[in-house]
Amino acid sequence: MVCMPDIYDKILSLGKRRGIIYPSYEIYGGKTGFFDYGPLGSLLKHNLEEAWRSLYIIKEGCMEVVTPVVTPFEILKASGHVDKFLDVIFTCQKCSSSFKAPDILNKEVTLPEAGEAIKKGITCPECDGQLTAEEVHLMFETSIGPTKKQPAFLRPETAQGIFIDFYNLYRFFRQKLPFGIVQVGKGFRNEVSPRQGIIRLREFSMAEAEIFFDPSHKDHPRFSQVKHEQLHILPAGKKDIKTSLQEAIKNKIIGNQILAYYLAITQKFIISAGIDAQKIRFRQHASTEMAHYANECWDAEIFTQRFGWIECVGIADRSAHDLQSHMNATDADLTAFHRFDHPHKEKKKLVKVKMDELGPRYKDKAGFIKKQLESMSPPKSGDITVVLDGKSLVIDPSCYDIVEEEVSLEGQHFIPHVIEPSHGIDRILYCILEHNYQEVEKEGEMYTLLSLPYKIAPIPVGVFPLINKDGLPQVAYDIEQSLRQQGFLAFYDDSGSIGRRYARMDEIGTPFCITIDHQTLTDDTVTIRDRDTTQQERIKKANVKAYLDKKFFSSEKRF
Amino acid sequence: MVCMPDIYDKILSLGKRRGIIYPSYEIYGGKTGFFDYGPLGSLLKHNLEEAWRSLYIIKEGCMEVVTPVVTPFEILKASGHVDKFLDVIFTCQKCSSSFKAPDILNKEVTLPEAGEAIKKGITCPECDGQLTAEEVHLMFETSIGPTKKQPAFLRPETAQGIFIDFYNLYRFFRQKLPFGIVQVGKGFRNEVSPRQGIIRLREFSMAEAEIFFDPSHKDHPRFSQVKHEQLHILPAGKKDIKTSLQEAIKNKIIGNQILAYYLAITQKFIISAGIDAQKIRFRQHASTEMAHYANECWDAEIFTQRFGWIECVGIADRSAHDLQSHMNATDADLTAFHRFDHPHKEKKKLVKVKMDELGPRYKDKAGFIKKQLESMSPPKSGDITVVLDGKSLVIDPSCYDIVEEEVSLEGQHFIPHVIEPSHGIDRILYCILEHNYQEVEKEGEMYTLLSLPYKIAPIPVGVFPLINKDGLPQVAYDIEQSLRQQGFLAFYDDSGSIGRRYARMDEIGTPFCITIDHQTLTDDTVTIRDRDTTQQERIKKANVKAYLDKKFFSSEKRF
């Protein structure tokens, strides 16, 4: 290992050279905030997302949904995004450059704080011009229909598509809580002049889970499995500490077991995907910093050389905020029902109509009024009013009695709460590349190696003929094809020296390389080389598949 | 099997009830042209896309990319979409309803044809009002940046993201043709009042492959493997026929082997995914109907009860259209290089400057003029002009000679051609549901069964305790969890009679159900029931995983 002065540039350069990531729209001069995944990057991303699905869907028992990117205005108005998903931006009056607050002040600020900073004399970092500050929302705007245009946005998160389907999803889970719904897909933030390359994207890939639960039961059934996990945490306004989750709950640093459980599996997941365990911390949001929908939020931050600690997963307690907002906006019933073990007997005040008084006064309307009166809870004091022919009508107290009766309640409705672990796939991927990037010296030459976990590596196995004659290429090609037929993305390569071929595969993190040599022709054996140990084993050709199966198809691989 | 008068409604109803598909934004009154995939629908879609990736990436050797949805204006201007991706729409002057041509005239028409139809007296199908016709482009508009707004669209196809990365991708494939690049993701068409439910979406999932090849080599290396495949084809302007691909090529019905090869694997793929082989035909586009980028196009159409034949896969010969367009717009080099086996000797006319004539006339400009002259191919006749200080300047023929010399050419640059199979995932999925939907009578009761191929079925296996006592639930639960740990999405169910549970799993196409009964407690065996035969086998509990592996992990399953 040698010193790596600018690993970000090295990874971008490796990414470009080997088809991992490309700046988007490059031949058109590029657009900041957009990146493409090339052939190997797409496999890497796919493998990471599949590992995430395997954890959340197969192991944790969540189910996935796929909802649209194009989201009508009403939904994001109701959720609060139109009015509260805002950023303070500074614009230079001289050169017209725009900046987010952290670009100038190294932190998020409110609009009044931005005004103060301008008064104190901050100027444009590019031309020293006069700045102004304003609040803008960060959603891409569009409209539905080419003629009659209905305003819409590109979703800023995948979560809203889940919340508005709550009724259907609750029914899918047979009206039982808790349950979890995930979505893996694109999210969009129309950033102001993003300046941090792949770290701040305008279009990004997210993997979000929404865990719905009864707020009177914030214990998690599997908490005991994770309670001894050690986390590096940074509570809001306090010093960072190492603590077990059990202690964190006991000391009221983390609000509840469900939130704590998802902190634990977030840490386990990113470590299993290749993040250096020493470079993870969980930072709590200050109350001034939290998203409008959250009442407790922890970021899993990962350390990077150039950008320092960056937020890669947000784990938020969204309480009943979103379901309540959509209920308010639509009158849909997004409650869950808690059935009591035994019906509760409750005393309840009821209105009992005296028809001999009501009938003569209201004639043919009396039946309609009776129905209204008997369906209402009587007010604590004062007159009772009904609606008749669109007008309010005070009913004379002589027309009814208020009685107390014992009723039997089967259960009660409530709005579920939500814990949301939300993963930024692109940032996690960048961090995986950075933490697994190694420069190794071998026989006097420097070369690069990605020590990716097997399940994430884009190409699991290379297949090489030692030399390009004596029938070796055909044998190698047949092995490559046979592995592909059996589902392994094998990569055939016969170009350059064998050392050069190993080096090329190391550079993209391929765990194993199979070489066919003259001995293969006589005894049907091949050599198989391990990326990390560089050791070679000789095994029977017929056992290659079983060998790789054993190495790769640990329980985590399949989905 | 009984008569199914309105299978579309039945599938939508099943879809809603069992969490396959939901109309989007339902609690907000819904938006036509958008659908959600529920928990089972998402698995179905995921499995279909994984089967597609397995075919195109692992078996066919293509590589995937992931490029943005938000596409700057310039790119879709260059590709021709801004000016040519247009639809004729009719708008009623009385009720303001808008209609696509097929909604009114049962076919696509040009703008002049639409005008003719209006003159002939067609009126609004909803209110009989006066219609007007216009051309609109069908892209969702947006802009990049919340302040300085740069116009952009949501991509109408995933293909453009591939074309503009051609140089990087060509380098990834070590400058060798042919190669294929795929992309699986969202596409967008801002349809005018879509009226066909899930068949015409404004936001849809596509799986596209772009196969780049040298147009002087239109043979496909694996054509011989498919040449005897029988296809039901409908050539433009002719009667439909059944033919082998070999015959279709011979009779010049299909333009080249590469196109024909992708027709064949398209058919194989959709059949393996569950489409009824009798309900597939390949219809050739008439030249008036083709997209602006295509010079030969075949649609794989699938027959549906309500909508008749619908386009589900488009297989287009895009020739050099897209790469040429982006080269014109950017000056990027999107050519490939064909290296000759032996350098070609060619005679070439060159300009040879006579400095003793040129020098005295142009003094210090002479060197600059010489450089221009000697780098150009001389015109067949007439004067030679150079540019000096921004002005054209005719050079006197006495200043140069035109000589013929033999030069050695290593190879030549050319623009690759492209064959594109483009799959509409949502439509294929709907057709799979329709073709596998069965109503079965059993013991006097009707129930529904989805005969989905194993690799597509959302839940591979159900696990039930026969009764909810004597420890059976725990044994069943342990089997379910163990299968999940090993990557099988098993579904535990202990609710209702065992017959009811089988029926619920049949309804969502689950191929196998495992039941734990009292005998399990004594001899560690379980019963395993086959969806299609309804036969039950008794096997050792320890062999369950191997049994399922054998049934599911055929070569097609893994990716």
Side-chain angles (χ1 to χ4, degrees):
Chain A
M1 284 284 274
V2 296
C3 166
M4 289 172 287
D6 204 352
I7 196 170
Y8 179 79
D9 287 337
K10 285 182 181 180
I11 285 170
L12 255 57
S13 152
L14 172 71
K16 181 95 191 279
R17 187 158 40 84
R18 297 306 308 272
I20 301 172
I21 42 174
Y22 307 131
S24 299
Y25 309 120
E26 208 176 14
I27 66 170
Y28 282 84
K31 281 275 178 233
T32 55
F34 296 95
F35 262 85
D36 294 353
Y37 288 96
L40 297 182
S42 297
L43 288 167
L44 196 60
K45 175 173 185 281
H46 187 77
N47 292 348
L48 179 64
E49 288 174 349
E50 289 301 84
W52 192 88
R53 284 192 169 98
S54 172
L55 172 62
Y56 273 85
I57 300 175
I58 302 198
K59 311 254 170 57
E60 290 292 318
C62 297
M63 295 297 280
E64 186 171 1
V65 299
V66 181
T67 71
V69 159
V70 174
T71 309
F73 176 87
E74 308 88 282
I75 286 132
L76 293 162
K77 177 73 180 171
S79 69
H81 284 82
V82 171
D83 299 317
K84 293 178 187 158
F85 186 60
L86 303 170
D87 253 20
V88 170
I89 64 159
F90 292 88
T91 306
C92 174
Q93 297 308 293
K94 196 164 143 200
C95 73
S96 297
S97 297
S98 295
F99 304 89
K100 292 182 72 159
D103 293 331
I104 295 192
L105 303 170
N106 289 316
K107 59 174 182 179
E108 296 292 352
V109 295
T110 62
L111 191 56
E113 288 167 345
E116 281 304 311
I118 292 172
K119 273 192 206 149
K120 282 185 187 150
I122 59 144
T123 53
C124 174
E126 287 186 3
C127 78
D128 208 31
Q130 173 71 31
L131 293 172
T132 56
E134 64 184 316
E135 273 184 324
V136 294
H137 78 70
L138 296 180
M139 294 190 289
F140 280 92
E141 295 177 12
T142 187
S143 53
I144 300 170
T147 49
K148 279 173 293 179
K149 298 185 179 189
Q150 306 150 64
F153 299 104
L154 308 194
R155 63 182 178 198
E157 55 175 0
T158 71
Q160 296 304 324
I162 296 173
F163 297 133
I164 59 179
D165 273 345
F166 176 77
Y167 177 75
N168 288 325
L169 298 167
Y170 180 51
R171 210 170 51 154
F172 179 85
F173 278 95
R174 301 185 188 170
Q175 276 107 328
K176 279 193 195 118
L177 292 178
F179 66 83
I181 300 289
V182 307
Q183 184 157 200
V184 180
K186 293 281 183 85
F188 300 81
R189 284 175 69 115
N190 206 355
E191 298 283 357
V192 180
S193 320
R195 290 173 174 83
Q196 295 106 316
I198 200 169
I199 300 304
R200 189 164 297 282
L201 295 178
R202 283 167 159 153
E203 178 171 340
F204 43 88
S205 291
M206 321 177 74
E208 299 195 296
E210 311 299 324
I211 315 298
F212 296 93
F213 62 97
D214 180 341
S216 64
H217 295 90
K218 291 191 180 181
D219 289 351
H220 192 285
R222 291 188 295 280
F223 182 71
S224 63
Q225 291 175 20
V226 301
K227 65 183 180 185
H228 296 304
E229 292 284 325
Q230 291 286 319
L231 264 60
H232 175 191
I233 68 172
L234 181 56
K238 297 199 181 129
K239 266 178 66 93
D240 62 329
I241 50 168
K242 273 253 177 191
T243 179
S244 74
L245 284 169
Q246 193 169 30
E247 289 295 311
I249 290 279
K250 204 177 107 193
N251 298 325
K252 300 194 191 312
I253 296 171
I254 299 172
N256 63 67
Q257 280 191 8
I258 304 182
L259 196 55
Y261 180 79
Y262 285 97
L263 260 59
I265 72 162
T266 294
Q267 171 160 293
K268 280 188 167 188
F269 174 71
I270 58 180
I271 291 173
S272 82
I275 295 297
D276 182 342
Q278 303 309 312
K279 294 181 177 170
I280 300 168
R281 73 175 185 192
F282 289 87
R283 188 179 69 78
Q284 187 179 22
H285 283 210
S287 58
T288 52
E289 175 195 7
M290 256 182 301
H292 63 275
Y293 49 72
N295 68 7
E296 180 174 351
C297 187
W298 292 84
D299 283 345
E301 295 187 327
I302 303 180
F303 189 76
T304 61
Q305 201 181 73
R306 183 181 287 193
F307 305 104
W309 291 101
I310 59 171
E311 170 197 351
C312 290
V313 187
I315 303 131
D317 181 345
R318 299 179 74 130
S319 68
H321 171 83
D322 301 277
L323 294 179
Q324 181 71 68
S325 302
H326 293 299
M327 277 179 71
N328 295 348
T330 62
D331 293 328
D333 179 6
L334 305 180
T335 61
F337 186 70
H338 172 62
R339 188 172 297 279
F340 301 135
D341 293 340
H342 305 286
H344 287 193
K345 301 285 180 197
E346 265 189 21
K347 292 213 165 143
K348 205 177 168 183
K349 285 194 172 160
L350 300 169
V351 181
K352 274 250 146 128
V353 165
K354 294 191 263 186
M355 269 314 267
D356 51 341
E357 293 284 342
L358 196 76
R361 292 198 209 184
Y362 296 102
K363 312 247 161 39
D364 57 333
K365 309 282 187 193
F368 178 73
I369 293 170
K370 178 173 190 281
K371 210 170 145 193
Q372 281 194 65
L373 285 172
E374 295 196 344
S375 69
M376 60 176 52
S377 302
K380 291 217 168 98
S381 63
D383 295 327
I384 298 184
T385 307
V386 298
V387 176
L388 190 69
D389 298 333
K391 287 180 194 143
S392 291
L393 179 70
V394 174
I395 304 297
D396 189 295
S398 67
C399 295
Y400 56 83
D401 290 320
I402 292 180
V403 298
E404 198 173 59
E405 280 187 6
E406 200 177 65
V407 295
S408 176
L409 289 174
E410 299 293 323
Q412 64 188 7
H413 288 272
F414 64 94
I415 304 178
H417 280 210
V418 174
I419 297 287
E420 173 196 77
S422 173
H423 296 64
I425 294 293
D426 315 279
R427 287 188 173 190
I428 295 173
L429 254 183
Y430 169 74
C431 294
I432 291 173
L433 291 173
E434 179 171 320
H435 293 189
N436 291 280
Y437 182 90
Q438 299 181 19
E439 289 179 343
V440 190
E441 196 183 314
K442 209 181 118 188
E443 295 166 14
E445 244 184 287
M446 294 306 300
Y447 77 105
T448 306
L449 183 146
L450 284 182
S451 54
L452 299 171
Y454 294 176
K455 67 179 173 185
I456 301 291
I459 305 281
V461 56
V463 186
F464 316 143
L466 183 66
I467 54 170
N468 286 331
K469 55 182 181 181
D470 304 334
L472 301 184
Q474 188 62 44
V475 179
Y477 178 77
D478 290 346
I479 291 176
E480 185 234 16
Q481 286 299 308
S482 151
L483 284 172
R484 282 179 178 256
Q485 288 305 317
Q486 295 173 92
F488 268 103
L489 186 48
F491 179 78
Y492 175 88
D493 191 2
D494 63 10
S495 161
S497 75
I498 201 81
R500 187 78 208 95
R501 283 179 262 170
Y502 286 146
R504 278 200 297 260
M505 297 314 270
D506 286 346
E507 196 179 30
I508 60 168
T510 296
F512 297 98
C513 293
I514 295 167
T515 300
I516 283 73
D517 56 19
H518 287 93
Q519 190 179 331
T520 310
L521 302 180
T522 59
D523 68 1
D524 273 339
T525 62
V526 298
T527 64
I528 187 157
R529 171 190 178 269
D530 181 302
R531 176 194 69 195
D532 302 315
T533 64
T534 73
Q535 296 300 304
Q536 296 181 30
E537 263 185 83
R538 188 164 276 279
I539 63 170
K540 279 278 178 196
K541 207 170 76 179
N543 294 340
V544 164
K545 169 71 172 25
Y547 183 97
L548 294 173
D549 265 346
K550 202 172 152 197
K551 294 284 187 183
F552 283 93
F553 290 93
S554 71
S555 61
E556 300 230 298
K557 173 67 192 174
R558 280 235 189 90
F559 177 48
Chain B
M1 286 283 275
V2 298
C3 167
M4 290 172 285
D6 202 355
I7 196 170
Y8 178 78
D9 287 337
K10 286 182 181 180
I11 284 170
L12 256 57
S13 153
L14 172 70
K16 180 94 190 279
R17 189 158 38 82
R18 298 306 308 272
I20 301 171
I21 43 175
Y22 309 131
S24 298
Y25 309 119
E26 209 176 13
I27 65 171
Y28 282 85
K31 281 276 177 234
T32 56
F34 296 95
F35 263 85
D36 293 353
Y37 289 95
L40 297 181
S42 297
L43 288 166
L44 196 59
K45 174 172 185 280
H46 187 78
N47 292 347
L48 179 64
E49 289 174 349
E50 289 300 85
W52 192 88
R53 282 193 170 98
S54 174
L55 172 62
Y56 273 85
I57 300 175
I58 302 199
K59 310 256 169 55
E60 291 291 318
C62 297
M63 294 300 278
E64 187 171 1
V65 297
V66 181
T67 71
V69 158
V70 174
T71 309
F73 176 88
E74 308 89 281
I75 285 132
L76 294 161
K77 177 72 180 174
S79 69
H81 285 82
V82 171
D83 298 317
K84 293 177 186 160
F85 186 60
L86 302 169
D87 252 21
V88 169
I89 63 159
F90 292 89
T91 305
C92 174
Q93 298 305 294
K94 197 164 141 201
C95 73
S96 298
S97 295
S98 294
F99 304 89
K100 291 182 74 160
D103 294 331
I104 295 192
L105 303 170
N106 290 316
K107 60 175 181 178
E108 297 291 353
V109 295
T110 62
L111 191 56
E113 287 167 346
E116 282 302 311
I118 292 172
K119 272 194 206 146
K120 282 184 187 154
I122 59 143
T123 53
C124 174
E126 287 185 3
C127 78
D128 210 30
Q130 172 71 32
L131 293 173
T132 57
E134 64 183 316
E135 271 183 325
V136 293
H137 78 69
L138 295 180
M139 294 191 287
F140 280 91
E141 295 177 13
T142 189
S143 53
I144 299 170
T147 48
K148 280 171 293 178
K149 297 185 176 189
Q150 307 150 63
F153 300 104
L154 307 194
R155 64 182 178 198
E157 55 175 1
T158 70
Q160 296 304 324
I162 297 173
F163 297 134
I164 58 178
D165 273 344
F166 176 77
Y167 176 76
N168 288 326
L169 298 167
Y170 179 52
R171 209 169 52 152
F172 180 86
F173 278 96
R174 300 182 187 173
Q175 277 107 325
K176 280 192 194 119
L177 293 177
F179 66 84
I181 301 290
V182 308
Q183 186 158 198
V184 180
K186 292 282 183 82
F188 300 81
R189 283 176 69 114
N190 206 356
E191 297 283 357
V192 180
S193 320
R195 290 174 174 79
Q196 294 108 316
I198 200 169
I199 299 307
R200 189 164 297 281
L201 294 178
R202 284 167 158 153
E203 178 171 340
F204 43 88
S205 291
M206 323 177 72
E208 299 195 295
E210 312 298 323
I211 314 296
F212 296 93
F213 61 97
D214 179 342
S216 64
H217 295 90
K218 292 190 180 182
D219 289 352
H220 192 285
R222 292 187 295 278
F223 182 70
S224 63
Q225 292 174 19
V226 301
K227 67 185 179 185
H228 297 304
E229 292 284 324
Q230 291 285 318
L231 264 59
H232 175 191
I233 69 172
L234 180 57
K238 298 199 181 132
K239 266 177 67 94
D240 62 328
I241 50 167
K242 273 253 178 191
T243 179
S244 74
L245 283 169
Q246 190 169 33
E247 288 295 311
I249 290 280
K250 204 177 106 190
N251 297 325
K252 299 194 192 311
I253 296 171
I254 298 172
N256 63 67
Q257 279 191 8
I258 303 182
L259 196 55
Y261 180 78
Y262 285 97
L263 261 59
I265 72 161
T266 294
Q267 171 159 291
K268 281 189 167 188
F269 174 72
I270 58 180
I271 292 173
S272 81
I275 295 297
D276 182 344
Q278 304 307 311
K279 295 180 177 171
I280 300 168
R281 73 175 186 193
F282 289 86
R283 188 180 68 80
Q284 186 179 25
H285 283 209
S287 58
T288 52
E289 176 194 5
M290 254 180 305
H292 63 274
Y293 50 71
N295 69 5
E296 180 173 352
C297 187
W298 292 84
D299 283 346
E301 294 186 327
I302 303 180
F303 189 77
T304 61
Q305 202 183 71
R306 183 182 286 194
F307 305 103
W309 291 101
I310 58 171
E311 170 197 351
C312 290
V313 188
I315 302 131
D317 182 344
R318 297 179 76 131
S319 70
H321 171 84
D322 300 278
L323 294 180
Q324 181 72 68
S325 302
H326 293 300
M327 277 178 71
N328 295 348
T330 62
D331 292 330
D333 178 7
L334 305 180
T335 62
F337 185 71
H338 171 62
R339 188 172 296 278
F340 301 136
D341 293 338
H342 305 286
H344 287 193
K345 301 284 181 198
E346 263 188 24
K347 292 210 165 145
K348 206 176 168 186
K349 285 194 173 159
L350 300 169
V351 183
K352 275 251 149 131
V353 167
K354 293 191 262 183
M355 269 314 266
D356 51 340
E357 292 284 341
L358 195 74
R361 291 198 208 184
Y362 296 102
K363 310 246 161 40
D364 57 335
K365 310 281 187 189
F368 179 73
I369 294 171
K370 176 175 191 279
K371 209 169 146 196
Q372 280 194 66
L373 286 172
E374 293 195 346
S375 69
M376 59 176 51
S377 302
K380 290 219 169 93
S381 62
D383 294 327
I384 297 185
T385 305
V386 297
V387 177
L388 191 68
D389 298 334
K391 287 179 193 147
S392 290
L393 178 74
V394 174
I395 303 296
D396 189 296
S398 67
C399 296
Y400 56 82
D401 289 323
I402 292 178
V403 298
E404 197 171 59
E405 282 187 5
E406 200 176 65
V407 294
S408 174
L409 289 174
E410 299 293 322
Q412 65 187 6
H413 288 273
F414 64 94
I415 304 179
H417 279 209
V418 173
I419 297 288
E420 173 195 76
S422 173
H423 297 64
I425 294 293
D426 315 279
R427 287 188 172 190
I428 295 173
L429 254 184
Y430 170 74
C431 294
I432 290 172
L433 290 173
E434 179 170 322
H435 292 189
N436 290 281
Y437 182 90
Q438 298 183 19
E439 289 178 341
V440 190
E441 197 183 314
K442 210 181 120 190
E443 294 165 14
E445 245 184 286
M446 296 304 301
Y447 75 105
T448 305
L449 184 146
L450 285 183
S451 55
L452 298 171
Y454 293 175
K455 67 179 172 185
I456 301 291
I459 305 279
V461 56
V463 186
F464 315 144
L466 183 65
I467 54 169
N468 285 332
K469 55 181 181 181
D470 304 334
L472 301 184
Q474 187 62 45
V475 178
Y477 178 76
D478 291 346
I479 291 177
E480 185 234 16
Q481 286 299 308
S482 149
L483 285 171
R484 281 180 180 254
Q485 288 304 319
Q486 295 173 92
F488 268 104
L489 186 48
F491 179 77
Y492 175 88
D493 192 2
D494 62 11
S495 159
S497 75
I498 201 82
R500 187 75 209 98
R501 283 179 260 170
Y502 287 146
R504 279 201 297 259
M505 296 313 272
D506 285 347
E507 197 178 31
I508 60 168
T510 296
F512 297 99
C513 293
I514 295 167
T515 300
I516 283 72
D517 55 18
H518 287 92
Q519 191 177 332
T520 310
L521 302 179
T522 59
D523 68 1
D524 274 338
T525 61
V526 299
T527 64
I528 188 158
R529 173 190 178 267
D530 181 302
R531 175 194 71 195
D532 301 316
T533 64
T534 74
Q535 295 302 303
Q536 295 180 30
E537 264 185 84
R538 190 166 273 278
I539 63 170
K540 280 277 177 196
K541 208 171 75 179
N543 294 340
V544 164
K545 169 69 173 25
Y547 183 97
L548 293 173
D549 264 345
K550 202 172 153 195
K551 295 283 187 183
F552 283 93
F553 291 92
S554 71
S555 62
E556 298 230 297
K557 174 66 193 176
R558 279 236 189 91
F559 173 46

